[in-house]
Amino acid sequence: MAIATTEPTTGTTLRTFTALTPGELEARLRLAEETFRTYRHTPLADRKRWLARAAELLEAEAATFGRTMTQEMGKPFEAAKAEAQKCAQACRYYVEHGEAYLRDEPIDTGKDRSYVRYEPLGPVLAIMPWNFPFWQVVRFAAPALIAGNVGLLKHAHNVPQCALALEDLFLRAGFPKGAFQNLFIETREIEGVISDRRVKAVTLTGSEGAGRAVGAQAGKALKKVVLELGGSDPFIVMPSAKLDEAVETAVKARLINNGQSCIAAKRFIVHDAIYPEFERRFVERMARVKVGDPMDPQTEVGPLATEGIRQGLHAQVEKSLAAGAKAPVGGKLPPGAGYYYPPTVLTDVPDESPAAREELFGPVAVLFRAKDVEHALALANDTPYGLGASVWTKEEAEAQRFIEGIETGMVFINAMVASDPRLPFGGVKHSGHGREMALHGLREFLNAKTVRVS
Ligand code: NDP
């Protein structure tokens, strides 16, 4: 696939970039290895200062970065600016906590002195998606860099200017050349990089298919891998929930990032007692959503990132409708230029239809009815995915039953699922393995070296 900036609002390709030659790739891998040798020993105070500077730049230039994101993948400009600011928060989080997280951990073994010492692994390859083109990268890079690892970024082919801006950001922040490098490479070249002896670990955020490929390659090369893949998150609403708030949040949780988020709420499981009222209000609100130019501050939903994503989503909707599902709103491709897709609600979806079984990566919500708590739980867990879950109830015992019973990496009660640098992020089942952010994310790419001194 061409490495290029193609405007999702018009379908026009604005710039293309050439992939690295084998010689250029070799030079970058060599530089990563050489840089790691010295970078790992730089005083933590220096790494903290550079990361703090990166945070300042992200904030000061949020509008510039935001424009690049919006131009390349179509998210609303306001959300793109907010994404740059959130990246600044993540950098600051590790400036503040990195030292404590990296400190030796004493363990009482009697008269011997025992402890765990945390050491960086080396160059880590990050294969990243286009949907949060800054955030996905920074949430890998900030903990990796504070810990003394060096980063190699293979970004999605459709966000090359975001990739270049990130490489430039870390350089300008003061990190040594080679601490964070961008690799313009084709997918078929990734396996060679993973198996290269200088690359010590891999992290991927993306589709289940890419996860299987990268997981297999990392396994073959015996390298540590973190996989953050798709999700089909349930959003469960029980009778005690505050309905107004639940409906408003449901719309937001489905449409965030033009519907293209792994943790977007995708399956809405609503208790029978309130289902008709929830459906009525939800459909009415989805029908009012303003779709349009992502640079317009009034726009709630912009275009999808690529024509491929749009065609794939529409095929899932059409197959589900053909199987018997209903669409009280949306479901039709709009005329005109750009990769727009209308906010869509599907009801009465048959069990084996794509809407019931697959991840829908766009503004399409699927409604289900549940008889009681156990039925809601069964529906929520009836998916290959296990990323996040949002549950709306005021009853404590009910909330506890969901917290225990839901098969996901994250559960949020009376709130939408959202990433936060302070909280570990990741899934189970086909949503991947490993964690990002917080202490857990930082530790993924460290050697926890056991030391016992007798
Ligand atoms: P992909 O998984 O194809 O892309 C994510 C990253 O993985 C990109 O850098 C891509 O490179 C790379 N990649 C793709 N295939 C391989 C492979 N076989 N081996 C190694 N790397 C690979 O996502 P798409 O853009 O195709 O989006 C499709 C689906 O992915 C969505 O419908 C959604 O389900 C899921 N997705 C989930 C995300 C999440 O946040 N968890 C984010 C984005 C997508 P390149 O761009 O060059 O192909």
Side-chain angles (χ1 to χ4, degrees):
M1 251 175 302
I3 301 168
T5 300
T6 298
E7 256 183 348
T9 46
T10 60
T12 311
T13 298
L14 301 176
R15 274 183 79 178
T16 54
F17 297 81
T18 44
L20 296 176
T21 63
E24 287 166 340
L25 175 57
E26 168 57 28
R28 287 188 171 230
L29 292 173
R30 200 180 317 125
L31 179 62
E33 185 190 40
E34 282 166 15
T35 306
F36 175 63
R37 257 186 240 132
T38 48
Y39 181 68
R40 65 179 301 180
H41 300 300
T42 48
L44 192 60
D46 287 351
R47 284 181 255 152
K48 281 166 72 172
R49 198 175 66 251
W50 298 328
L51 203 52
R53 181 69 189 134
E56 281 170 15
L57 292 171
L58 280 158
E59 254 168 12
E61 299 172 26
T64 310
F65 294 141
R67 217 167 284 118
T68 306
M69 291 185 234
T70 299
Q71 184 180 56
E72 292 198 308
M73 55 66 66
K75 72 173 62 200
F77 179 52
E78 293 305 313
K81 279 190 290 187
E83 181 170 334
Q85 281 151 0
K86 187 169 173 175
C87 290
Q89 277 174 25
C91 291
R92 291 207 176 100
Y93 175 82
Y94 284 107
V95 170
E96 194 181 329
H97 298 280
E99 194 160 354
Y101 290 172
L102 292 166
R103 211 170 275 148
D104 293 349
E105 257 177 19
I107 296 176
D108 186 0
T109 49
K111 65 181 171 46
D112 293 345
R113 188 163 65 90
S114 301
Y115 60 98
V116 177
R117 168 190 160 82
Y118 292 98
E119 295 181 352
L121 293 181
V124 182
L125 174 67
I127 305 164
M128 289 290 147
W130 43 265
N131 63 339
F132 292 92
F134 268 59
W135 172 245
Q136 307 276 25
V137 174
V138 169
R139 77 180 181 187
F140 147 74
L145 290 170
I146 202 79
N149 287 309
V150 304
L152 290 164
L153 171 65
K154 185 306 189 201
H155 218 325
H157 68 280
N158 54 329
V159 288
Q161 296 194 59
C162 289
L164 290 173
L166 284 158
E167 184 182 56
D168 182 57
L169 165 80
F170 288 117
L171 259 184
R172 284 191 289 136
F175 287 98
K177 193 167 181 283
F180 184 89
Q181 297 182 83
N182 173 45
L183 304 181
F184 277 154
I185 56 173
E186 306 286 348
T187 300
R188 63 186 147 72
E189 294 175 286
I190 293 175
E191 181 161 17
V193 176
I194 291 175
S195 61
D196 190 285
R197 63 163 184 81
R198 291 162 292 196
V199 172
K200 302 302 180 200
V202 192
T203 180
L204 167 102
T205 300
S207 61
E208 197 183 327
R212 285 180 194 280
V214 167
Q217 291 161 12
K220 207 164 131 199
L222 288 177
K223 307 247 168 112
K224 173 76 186 271
V225 63
V226 168
L227 298 174
E228 204 277 272
L229 310 177
S232 189
D233 285 9
F235 186 104
I236 302 169
V237 191
M238 299 303 284
S240 64
K242 273 194 186 162
L243 204 57
D244 282 351
E245 207 186 320
V247 170
E248 246 341 277
T249 313
V251 172
K252 191 170 158 204
R254 177 55 284 201
L255 298 181
I256 187 155
N257 211 37
N258 304 341
Q260 305 160 116
S261 168
C262 48
I263 49 165
K266 291 172 187 141
R267 295 175 302 133
F268 297 82
I269 300 167
V270 184
H271 191 280
D272 266 339
I274 48 165
Y275 182 91
E277 184 60 11
F278 181 91
E279 180 183 327
R280 190 185 63 73
R281 292 202 210 177
F282 185 67
V283 167
E284 187 266 329
R285 179 67 185 84
M286 288 285 273
R288 275 196 288 119
V289 167
K290 190 167 177 326
V291 180
D293 177 1
M295 291 305 290
D296 179 345
Q298 303 302 317
T299 292
E300 292 172 274
V301 170
L304 298 180
T306 66
E307 181 60 8
I309 294 280
R310 182 165 85 142
Q311 290 301 341
L313 179 70
H314 192 51
Q316 288 171 307
V317 170
E318 290 212 304
K319 266 194 211 161
S320 304
L321 291 174
K326 297 190 183 109
V329 60
K332 293 199 175 64
L333 274 185
Y339 310 143
Y340 292 96
Y341 202 80
T344 297
V345 179
L346 297 179
T347 63
D348 305 280
V349 295
D351 245 10
E352 294 309 315
S353 64
R357 304 247 67 89
E358 299 170 8
E359 178 180 29
L360 300 177
F361 218 60
V364 181
V366 188
L367 301 194
F368 297 85
R369 293 177 84 121
K371 289 194 282 284
D372 52 28
V373 176
E374 294 308 317
H375 185 214
L377 255 181
L379 287 170
N381 290 337
D382 185 20
T383 166
Y385 297 104
L387 194 52
S390 172
V391 180
W392 292 74
T393 175
K394 288 278 176 237
E395 292 187 16
E396 238 171 78
E398 206 171 70
Q400 197 54 39
R401 177 71 192 110
F402 282 112
I403 291 169
E404 288 163 8
I406 290 249
E407 296 164 1
T408 58
M410 303 172 280
V411 55
F412 285 55
I413 306 293
N414 297 319
M416 64 186 265
V417 180
S419 59
D420 180 321
R422 298 167 296 184
L423 299 172
F425 185 99
V428 294
K429 294 161 73 177
H430 291 192
S431 292
H433 50 241
R435 290 291 178 270
E436 297 191 278
M437 307 304 317
L439 169 66
H440 301 69
L442 179 102
R443 293 262 169 96
E444 290 285 1
F445 297 117
L446 294 177
N447 174 17
K449 188 184 268 181
T450 297
V451 182
R452 181 167 185 157
V453 185
S454 296

Coordinates of all heavy atoms in Angstrom, one line a residue, residues 307-343:
E307 N -11.3 4.7 2.1 CA -12.4 4.1 1.4 C -12.5 2.6 1.7 O -13.7 2.1 1.8 CB -12.2 4.3 -0.1 CG -13.3 3.8 -1.0 CD -14.7 4.4 -0.8 OE1 -14.8 5.4 0.0 OE2 -15.7 3.9 -1.4
G308 N -11.4 1.9 2.0 CA -11.5 0.5 2.3 C -12.3 0.3 3.6 O -13.1 -0.6 3.7
I309 N -12.0 1.1 4.6 CA -12.7 1.0 5.9 C -14.2 1.2 5.6 O -15.1 0.5 6.1 CB -12.2 2.1 6.9 CG1 -10.8 1.8 7.3 CG2 -13.1 2.2 8.1 CD1 -10.6 0.8 8.3
R310 N -14.6 2.3 4.8 CA -16.0 2.6 4.5 C -16.7 1.4 3.8 O -17.8 1.0 4.2 CB -16.1 3.8 3.7 CG -17.5 4.2 3.4 CD -17.6 5.6 2.9 NE -17.4 5.7 1.5 CZ -18.1 6.6 0.7 NH1 -19.1 7.3 1.3 NH2 -17.9 6.6 -0.6
Q311 N -16.0 0.9 2.8 CA -16.6 -0.2 2.0 C -16.8 -1.5 2.9 O -17.8 -2.1 2.9 CB -15.7 -0.6 0.8 CG -15.7 0.5 -0.3 CD -17.1 0.8 -0.8 OE1 -18.1 0.0 -0.7 NE2 -17.3 2.0 -1.4
G312 N -15.8 -1.7 3.8 CA -15.8 -2.9 4.7 C -17.0 -2.7 5.6 O -17.8 -3.7 5.9
L313 N -17.2 -1.6 6.2 CA -18.2 -1.3 7.2 C -19.6 -1.4 6.5 O -20.5 -2.1 7.0 CB -18.1 0.1 7.7 CG -19.1 0.5 8.8 CD1 -19.0 -0.2 10.1 CD2 -19.0 2.0 9.0
H314 N -19.7 -0.8 5.3 CA -21.0 -0.9 4.6 C -21.4 -2.3 4.2 O -22.6 -2.7 4.3 CB -21.0 0.0 3.4 CG -22.3 0.2 2.8 ND1 -23.4 0.7 3.5 CD2 -22.8 0.1 1.5 CE1 -24.5 0.8 2.8 NE2 -24.1 0.4 1.5
A315 N -20.4 -3.1 3.9 CA -20.7 -4.5 3.5 C -21.2 -5.2 4.8 O -22.1 -6.0 4.7 CB -19.4 -5.2 3.0
Q316 N -20.6 -5.0 5.9 CA -21.1 -5.6 7.2 C -22.5 -5.2 7.5 O -23.4 -6.0 7.9 CB -20.2 -5.2 8.4 CG -18.8 -5.8 8.4 CD -17.9 -5.2 9.5 OE1 -17.8 -3.9 9.5 NE2 -17.3 -6.0 10.3
V317 N -22.9 -3.9 7.2 CA -24.2 -3.4 7.5 C -25.2 -4.1 6.5 O -26.2 -4.6 6.9 CB -24.3 -1.9 7.4 CG1 -25.7 -1.4 7.4 CG2 -23.5 -1.2 8.5
E318 N -24.8 -4.1 5.2 CA -25.7 -4.7 4.2 C -26.0 -6.2 4.5 O -27.1 -6.6 4.3 CB -25.1 -4.5 2.8 CG -25.2 -3.0 2.5 CD -25.4 -2.8 1.0 OE1 -24.5 -3.3 0.2 OE2 -26.4 -2.1 0.6
K319 N -24.9 -6.9 4.8 CA -25.1 -8.3 5.1 C -26.0 -8.5 6.3 O -26.9 -9.4 6.3 CB -23.7 -9.0 5.4 CG -23.1 -9.6 4.2 CD -21.9 -10.5 4.7 CE -20.8 -10.5 3.7 NZ -19.5 -10.9 4.2
S320 N -25.9 -7.7 7.3 CA -26.7 -7.8 8.5 C -28.2 -7.5 8.2 O -29.1 -8.2 8.6 CB -26.2 -6.9 9.6 OG -24.9 -7.2 9.9
L321 N -28.4 -6.5 7.3 CA -29.8 -6.1 6.9 C -30.4 -7.2 6.1 O -31.5 -7.6 6.3 CB -29.8 -4.8 6.1 CG -29.4 -3.5 6.9 CD1 -29.3 -2.3 6.0 CD2 -30.5 -3.2 8.0
A322 N -29.5 -7.8 5.2 CA -30.0 -8.9 4.3 C -30.4 -10.1 5.2 O -31.3 -10.9 4.9 CB -29.0 -9.3 3.3
A323 N -29.7 -10.3 6.3 CA -30.0 -11.4 7.2 C -31.2 -11.2 8.1 O -31.7 -12.0 8.8 CB -28.8 -11.7 8.1
G324 N -31.8 -9.9 8.1 CA -33.0 -9.7 8.8 C -32.9 -8.5 9.8 O -33.9 -8.2 10.5
A325 N -31.7 -7.9 10.0 CA -31.6 -6.8 10.9 C -32.4 -5.6 10.4 O -32.7 -5.5 9.2 CB -30.2 -6.4 11.1
K326 N -32.8 -4.6 11.3 CA -33.5 -3.4 10.9 C -32.6 -2.2 11.2 O -31.8 -2.2 12.1 CB -34.8 -3.3 11.7 CG -35.7 -4.4 11.4 CD -37.1 -4.0 12.0 CE -38.0 -5.2 11.8 NZ -38.3 -5.9 13.1
A327 N -32.7 -1.2 10.3 CA -31.9 0.1 10.6 C -32.9 1.2 10.7 O -33.3 1.8 9.7 CB -31.0 0.3 9.4
P328 N -33.3 1.5 11.9 CA -34.2 2.7 12.1 C -33.6 4.0 11.7 O -34.3 5.0 11.5 CB -34.6 2.7 13.6 CG -33.6 1.8 14.2 CD -33.1 0.8 13.2
V329 N -32.3 4.1 11.7 CA -31.6 5.3 11.1 C -30.3 4.9 10.5 O -29.6 3.9 10.9 CB -31.4 6.3 12.3 CG1 -30.5 5.8 13.4 CG2 -30.7 7.6 11.7
G330 N -30.0 5.5 9.4 CA -28.7 5.3 8.7 C -28.7 4.1 7.8 O -29.7 3.6 7.3
G331 N -27.5 3.6 7.5 CA -27.3 2.4 6.7 C -27.2 2.6 5.3 O -27.1 1.6 4.5
K332 N -27.2 3.8 4.8 CA -27.1 4.1 3.3 C -25.9 4.9 3.1 O -25.6 5.9 3.8 CB -28.3 4.8 2.8 CG -29.6 4.0 2.9 CD -30.7 4.5 2.0 CE -31.9 3.6 2.0 NZ -32.6 3.6 3.4
L333 N -25.1 4.5 2.0 CA -24.0 5.3 1.6 C -24.4 6.7 1.1 O -25.3 6.7 0.2 CB -23.2 4.6 0.5 CG -22.2 3.5 0.9 CD1 -21.5 3.1 -0.4 CD2 -21.1 4.1 1.9
P334 N -23.8 7.8 1.6 CA -24.3 9.1 1.1 C -23.6 9.4 -0.3 O -22.5 8.8 -0.6 CB -23.7 10.0 2.2 CG -22.6 9.3 2.8 CD -22.8 7.8 2.7
P335 N -24.3 10.2 -1.1 CA -23.6 10.6 -2.4 C -22.5 11.6 -2.1 O -22.4 12.1 -1.0 CB -24.8 11.2 -3.1 CG -25.7 11.7 -2.1 CD -25.5 10.8 -0.9
G336 N -21.7 11.8 -3.1 CA -20.7 12.9 -3.0 C -19.3 12.3 -2.7 O -19.2 11.2 -2.4
A337 N -18.4 13.3 -2.6 CA -17.0 13.0 -2.4 C -16.8 12.7 -0.9 O -17.5 13.0 0.0 CB -16.1 14.1 -2.9
G338 N -15.6 12.0 -0.6 CA -15.2 11.8 0.8 C -15.8 10.5 1.3 O -16.7 9.9 0.7
Y339 N -15.2 10.0 2.4 CA -15.5 8.7 2.9 C -16.5 8.8 4.0 O -16.3 8.1 5.1 CB -14.2 8.0 3.4 CG -13.0 8.1 2.4 CD1 -11.7 8.2 2.8 CD2 -13.3 7.9 1.0 CE1 -10.7 8.2 1.9 CE2 -12.2 8.0 0.1 CZ -10.9 8.1 0.5 OH -9.9 8.2 -0.4
Y340 N -17.6 9.5 3.8 CA -18.5 9.7 4.9 C -19.4 8.5 5.1 O -19.7 7.8 4.1 CB -19.4 11.0 4.6 CG -18.6 12.2 4.7 CD1 -18.0 12.8 3.6 CD2 -18.3 12.8 5.9 CE1 -17.2 14.0 3.7 CE2 -17.6 14.0 6.0 CZ -17.0 14.6 4.9 OH -16.3 15.7 5.0
Y341 N -19.9 8.3 6.3 CA -20.8 7.2 6.6 C -21.8 7.7 7.7 O -21.4 8.3 8.7 CB -20.1 6.0 7.1 CG -21.0 4.7 6.9 CD1 -21.1 4.1 5.6 CD2 -21.8 4.2 7.9 CE1 -21.9 3.1 5.4 CE2 -22.7 3.2 7.7 CZ -22.7 2.6 6.4 OH -23.5 1.5 6.2
P342 N -23.1 7.5 7.5 CA -24.0 8.1 8.4 C -24.1 7.4 9.7 O -24.0 6.1 9.7 CB -25.4 8.0 7.7 CG -25.2 6.7 6.8 CD -23.8 6.7 6.4
P343 N -24.3 8.1 10.9 CA -24.6 7.4 12.1 C -25.8 6.4 11.9 O -26.8 6.8 11.4 CB -24.9 8.5 13.1 CG -24.2 9.7 12.5 CD -24.3 9.5 11.0

